[in-house]
């Protein structure tokens, strides 16, 4: 299995973050030997393959934060990368729509953030301009963000993997290799997988919904726990898709880390509506009834989860009600497009977000990357990490080079 002489770098996780990190490393340091270890039989099976597919512009993130920097840089790099054949994308623009006066202060704060983050072309718009851009949409004020786009992130991940494969025989993508432990062998890590052992000078943990577990296997106390939040989508039925031209977003509730239920016209012309955000009983489960005793016990035995629940009980119950009731979901959608009818929506895909939560119930907003003794751990890479993947890759590539004694 793998390379009997071992690798310089082993990346755990074949999602978009792990693959972007690997891609940057093999390109900048062609002499290194690298492997990507993915537990599933195919790449991009989890968050990367179950998301909204939006190339974010960087408007929501606190100026100066890693998210703000990496989203704007990553967006540029992703668009450049998508010029590779076989990665269709479209810069379609989006509107963020306020439907009530009380949303205005937060909408203006987003506008300030966007300007500070260098988001190009953003402007505040009134109801007429909203209707010009999205004829079926209603709102009192909004933001128009012309640089937002759509892409298939799973396709980006597969293209990254192909390009890594083309860089030489020393680099390998090993699917079906679940990492279950770490040992030491002198200066090397021994990565124990279900297929056997792999030696590497440096391990990079990009395990998404399991990143906290992989960190603990390496003896690192991550200081957070991944609490999974399910997001359900509806699809617009074919007779209703013309009601959405591009992307329609609400003004997000500033108390929560999620952007709220939005309309997304995808690359293939279909329209997603969602996602909501409810506590999930399984980290990698894609039905409303998915349940894992291990995952549920991990979440509910963590004090931070209970603090989070207690603080947001009303919001949580409302989200659950909306997850069960199609009527409530429809009501949310009608805030923006009043002509959406019950027969216009049908159940769509489901995604699960890896949300890092601290012991006091705080949801970690920014990306979190921890440098351990033998490994680099990506411990919080929520949205917009798919947009920012190549910028995250650049950053981790520099950290890895320093750790391996190479010039960055
Ligand atoms: C509903 C939803 C909507 C979103 N919308 C957007 C959006 O529009 N735009 C945007 O930029 N971002 C969006 N995001 C966020 C984005 O999808 C994630 O930030 C990104 O996909 C994270 O990538 P990742 O590689 O870290 O994680 P993942 O894609 O989850 O990959 C982690 C990989 O690690 C593997 N793994 C786990 N444990 C092990 C182990 N022990 N051994 C080996 N392999 C292991 C898993 O199988 C998995 O393939 C959204 C996310 C969700 C859930």
């Amino acid at each position: 299995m793998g390379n009997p002489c071992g690798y310089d770098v082993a990346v755990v996780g074949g999602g978009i973050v792990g693959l972007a990190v690997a891609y940057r490393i093999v390109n900048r340091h062609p002499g290194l030997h690298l492997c990507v270890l993915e537990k599933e039989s195919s790449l991009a099976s989890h968050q990367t393959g179950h998301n909204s597919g939006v190339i974010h512009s960087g408007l929501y993130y606190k100026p100066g934060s890693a998210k703000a920097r990496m989203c704007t840089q990553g967006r540029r790099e992703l668009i450049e990368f998508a010029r590779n054949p076989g990665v269709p994308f479209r810069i379609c623009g989006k509107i963020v729509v306020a439907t009530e006066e009380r949303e205005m202060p937060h909408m203006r704060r987003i506008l300030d953030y966007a300007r500070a983050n260098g988001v190009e072309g953003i402007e505040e718009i009134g109801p007429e301009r909203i209707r010009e851009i999205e004829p079926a949409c209603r709102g009192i004020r909004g933001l128009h963000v012309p640089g937002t786009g759509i892409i298939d992130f799973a396709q980006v991940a597969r293209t990254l993997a192909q390009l890594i494969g083309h860089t030489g025989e020393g680099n390998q993508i090993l699917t079906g290799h679940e990492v279950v432990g770490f040992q030491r062998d002198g200066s090397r890590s021994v990565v124990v997988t279900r297929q056997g052992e792999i030696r590497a000078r440096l391990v990079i943990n990009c395990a998404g919904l399991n990143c906290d577990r992989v960190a603990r296997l390496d003896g690192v106390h991550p200081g957070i726990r991944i609490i999974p939040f399910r997001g359900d989508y509806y699809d617009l039925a074919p007779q209703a898709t013309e009601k959405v031209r591009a992307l329609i977003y609400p003004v997000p509730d500033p108390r929560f880390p999620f952007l709220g239920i939005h309309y997304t016209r995808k690359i293939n012309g279909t329209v997603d509506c969602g996602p909501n955000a409810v506590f999930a009983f399984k980290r990698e489960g894609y039905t409303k009834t998915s349940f894992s005793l291990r995952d549920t016990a991990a979440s509910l035995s963590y004090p931070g989860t209970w603090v989070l629940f207690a603080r947001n009980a009303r919001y949580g119950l409302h989200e659950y009600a909306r997850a069960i009731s199609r009527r409530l979901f429809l009501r949310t959608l009608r805030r923006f497009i009043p002509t959406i009818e019950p027969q216009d929506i049908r159940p769509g895909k489901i995604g699960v977000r890896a949300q890092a939560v601290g012991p006091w119930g705080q949801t970690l907003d920014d990306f979190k990357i921890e440098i351990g003794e033998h490994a680099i751990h990506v411990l919080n890479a929520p949205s917009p990490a798919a947009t920012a993947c190549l910028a995250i890759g650049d950053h981790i590539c520099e950290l890895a080079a320093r750790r391996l004694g190479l010039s960055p």
Side-chain angles (χ1 to χ4, degrees), residues 33-97:
H33 290 167
L34 170 148
C35 66
V36 176
L37 303 169
E38 166 53 51
K39 70 178 162 62
E40 307 293 347
S41 57
S42 57
L43 301 168
S45 300
H46 294 297
Q47 295 176 92
T48 301
H50 296 84
N51 58 41
S52 296
V54 174
I55 306 175
H56 287 296
S57 296
L59 42 150
Y60 304 104
Y61 319 116
K62 219 176 249 168
S65 63
K67 271 190 179 177
R69 278 184 285 111
M70 291 183 180
C71 182
T72 44
Q73 177 194 332
R75 174 188 171 279
R76 279 193 304 273
E77 294 177 345
L78 182 66
I79 291 170
E80 189 55 43
F81 179 83
R83 304 204 192 282
N84 274 297
V87 191
F89 75 100
R90 189 151 51 88
I91 301 302
C92 51
K94 85 168 174 183
I95 53 172
V96 179
V97 178

Side-chain angles (χ1 to χ4, degrees), residues 367-379:
F367 297 147
K368 182 175 164 74
I369 296 165
E370 203 78 23
I371 306 167
E373 214 177 317
H374 316 293
I376 297 170
H377 299 277
V378 179
L379 294 175

Side-chain angles (χ1 to χ4, degrees), residues 209 227-231 258 276-280 308-309 351-355 357 363:
L209 284 147
I227 306 299
F229 282 89
R230 199 185 76 220
F258 311 120
N276 57 358
V278 290
F279 172 79
L308 184 70
F309 282 175
V352 184
R353 308 169 183 87
Q355 177 60 54
V357 174
T363 52

